[in-house]
Amino acid sequence: MNGTDVFNEILAHLKDEPVVHANGFIGRESFNVKDRKASFYMIGSMGLASSIGLGVALSQPDKKVIVMDGDGNVLMAMGTLAMIAAAAPKNLVHVVIDNEVYESTGKQRSLSSEVALEEVARATGYPRVAKVSTRDELNDAFKKFMNSEGPSFLLVKAKPEFDHGTGRVTHTPEEITDRFMEAVNR
Amino acid sequence: MLTSQLFIQELRDRGFDFFAGVPCSLLSGLISTIENIPDVKYYPGVREDACVGLCAGAYMGGKLPVLMMQNSGLGYCLNAFTSLNLIYKIPVLVIMSWRGFGGKDAPEHIIMGDINEQLLETSQMKYAELTSDNYETVLQEALNTIQNEKLPYTLLVKKGLFDERH
Ligand SMILES: Cc1ncc(C[n+]2csc(CCOP(=O)(O)OP(=O)(O)O)c2C)c(N)n1
Ligand SMILES: [Mg+2]
């Protein structure tokens, strides 16, 4: 699986659930598979998709909130895993596309080939943790996490195969906020 | 001096309903006051920029958030303020202690105490010093900025404004 494959699987499970994307190629891949009003495409503030998702989850406890993170993003804000585990929102599903590189800036290696991020999440206290690497495993685990109490952490091992023809998100940041808020507060 | 109880009540009266931060001794009274109110939650953050993210998410989910922090955390936050809040128009009320004001403080606070206003100004972040005389006016200005311009607003708090509890 590459990043686009991951979004092809995950977005097919979703209706209007809020999704917060990490910066870099991750948001672009999701946008090009399916643009959604309830998708927040973060373009800067590397590392903060997880804390943004936590804030959405705490303020919207009746909605499942999904964070689509990257290994580099998680490593930059590893302390946020502790904030999520401590606040323990039952409605948060934290998915990490782990390609073991900073793909967006040229595939420089990250530390996730040596550091098991799912074990870090487990140690901080996420009640549900899984690591998957095939489409079937991904679908099974994601479906299970969407139907159980979290916070859940789903590490998806993926290949860094970004298609450079994948366009950028065409909405302005302000438009992204407006439509996301409208969708989330409906 | 402004009592922590009074100021927290003033914030709640204006609709602020989500609190997060990293402690500073100058804000210790404020934080313990919130922690003692049963129907309001204070979320301890690991770093100030993670709190900026947390507050941004809470705002988009329908809350009116307050971030409490020491000015030593301002550097951590500049990327979040400039590449998230300011361009996405995501407001937050920041209550920031002003350590190092006037060059009288522990060595690690002196430089930031000298430049925190300039950093806020260069990053086009609106701010005001909070005092016991002006809190109604600056809170109104903060609310206007948050609700109408959808931008962050920072209140700088010098030593001695709030009761400290430690
Ligand atoms: C603070 C900061 N440092 C560096 C960058 C440059 N940058 C943008 S995306 C990215 C990589 C993100 O890595 P990861 O989360 O693993 O996602 P991937 O690119 O692999 O999809 C980097 C380093 C940035 N945007 N912000
Ligand atoms: Mg990566």
Side-chain angles (χ1 to χ4, degrees), chain A residues 97-144:
Chain A
I97 301 181
D98 180 8
N99 51 19
E100 302 187 357
V101 290
Y102 298 92
E103 187 171 19
S104 306
T105 47
K107 298 191 191 174
Q108 301 87 350
R109 75 187 163 87
S110 81
L111 302 180
S112 69
S113 56
E114 284 139 297
V115 178
L117 295 177
E118 76 282 12
E119 294 304 330
V120 180
R122 205 189 308 277
T124 59
Y126 278 66
R128 284 170 208 279
V129 175
K131 174 182 171 182
V132 299
S133 52
T134 68
R135 282 171 190 251
D136 285 347
E137 288 170 359
L138 171 61
N139 278 310
D140 287 350
F142 188 70
K143 228 186 298 176
K144 198 174 103 205

Side-chain angles (χ1 to χ4, degrees), chain A residues 41 43 45 51-52 60 173 177 185, chain B residues 50 53-54 57 60-61 83 88-89:
Chain A
Y41 307 107
I43 54 172
S45 57
S51 47
I52 296 171
Q60 291 285 332
T177 307
N185 292 285
Chain B
L54 177 63
M60 291 194 288
S83 72
Y88 283 87
K89 294 279 168 72

